[in-house]
Amino acid sequence: MIEKYVDSNNKEKNVLVLITRKGYWLFKNIFSEEERKQLVAKNFNLLVTDRRVLKENYGWVAEKNIYIFDDTITSGNNIFFFYSIFQKYQANSVTPLVYAVSTEFFKQEFDESKFLQYHRAHKLSLLLEAEQRVLAKSEYDRFRRKLKYYSLNTIAI
């Protein structure tokens, strides 16, 4: 799944960020240990978890191709927060990847919870709130267009 979205020509610039323990667990279970080693060796120079991201400065983000992997997306708030951080710190590209998407996600529009995640990522911004809301909505729209996921046909019960 991940390999088809990765810019394999820029191995030294590719970073895979695993969101939450479930994202890490799913990554470990989708790929065998040997496949994980090959994926990292062939495509990524850095593999990190979201907890590590939050504890470090963001100097390493600039000009990297960031791939954010999470197990599922319901509201999209968590993965959008990380998307916003990497955009803020000038990643070359940011691609959100999830294994499964709740049908509720596609019914949602930009709302206060999305703005709060954007504001949390850009908390030192000197822009007025109205300007931040315009930028946040624009960034959220880009995020939704870039989101890659494995589609499952599900029946709502």
Side-chain angles (χ1 to χ4, degrees):
M1 175 183 164
I2 293 172
E3 280 191 303
K4 71 180 182 179
Y5 300 112
V6 173
D7 183 356
S8 58
N9 295 324
N10 288 315
K11 174 185 165 188
E12 68 284 351
K13 291 186 174 186
N14 293 324
V15 178
L16 178 61
V17 178
L18 301 171
I19 304 293
T20 71
R21 289 183 187 152
K22 291 182 291 183
Y24 178 72
W25 176 85
L26 186 61
F27 178 74
K28 283 183 69 171
N29 284 284
I30 289 175
F31 300 101
S32 69
E33 184 175 348
E34 185 57 35
E35 288 172 322
R36 288 192 311 267
K37 287 179 183 176
Q38 288 177 7
L39 185 65
V40 171
K42 287 184 347 190
N43 297 307
F44 297 97
N45 72 322
L46 188 59
L47 177 70
V48 299
T49 65
D50 58 332
R51 290 179 181 200
R52 182 173 166 202
V53 168
L54 292 173
K55 293 179 182 177
E56 296 193 11
N57 69 42
Y58 297 101
W60 62 271
V61 171
E63 299 182 17
K64 297 284 193 278
N65 300 316
I66 309 285
Y67 300 86
I68 311 168
F69 179 74
D70 202 353
D71 60 333
T72 59
I73 188 172
T74 303
S75 70
N77 290 345
N78 196 29
I79 198 166
F80 179 59
F81 167 70
F82 285 98
Y83 178 88
S84 292
I85 284 178
F86 298 133
Q87 289 293 117
K88 176 183 178 180
Y89 288 97
Q90 302 176 344
N92 186 43
S93 69
V94 183
T95 304
L97 304 166
V98 295
Y99 186 73
V101 177
S102 164
T103 55
E104 293 302 310
F105 174 75
F106 295 108
K107 296 175 187 174
Q108 297 174 16
E109 296 296 322
F110 181 80
D111 61 14
E112 192 65 19
S113 68
K114 306 303 181 279
F115 175 69
L116 292 173
Q117 295 305 319
Y118 177 85
H119 184 68
R120 183 175 157 215
H122 295 265
K123 60 186 166 195
L124 299 177
S125 174
L126 298 176
L127 296 174
L128 298 174
E129 184 176 329
E131 294 170 314
Q132 277 192 350
R133 284 189 184 279
V134 170
L135 292 174
K137 179 162 183 354
S138 175
E139 189 160 291
Y140 184 69
D141 291 343
R142 281 193 309 277
F143 163 78
R144 284 183 64 125
R145 284 192 305 273
K146 292 181 88 173
L147 180 67
K148 309 293 182 208
Y149 56 92
Y150 180 75
S151 180
L152 296 173
N153 291 328
T154 58
I155 300 172
I157 298 176

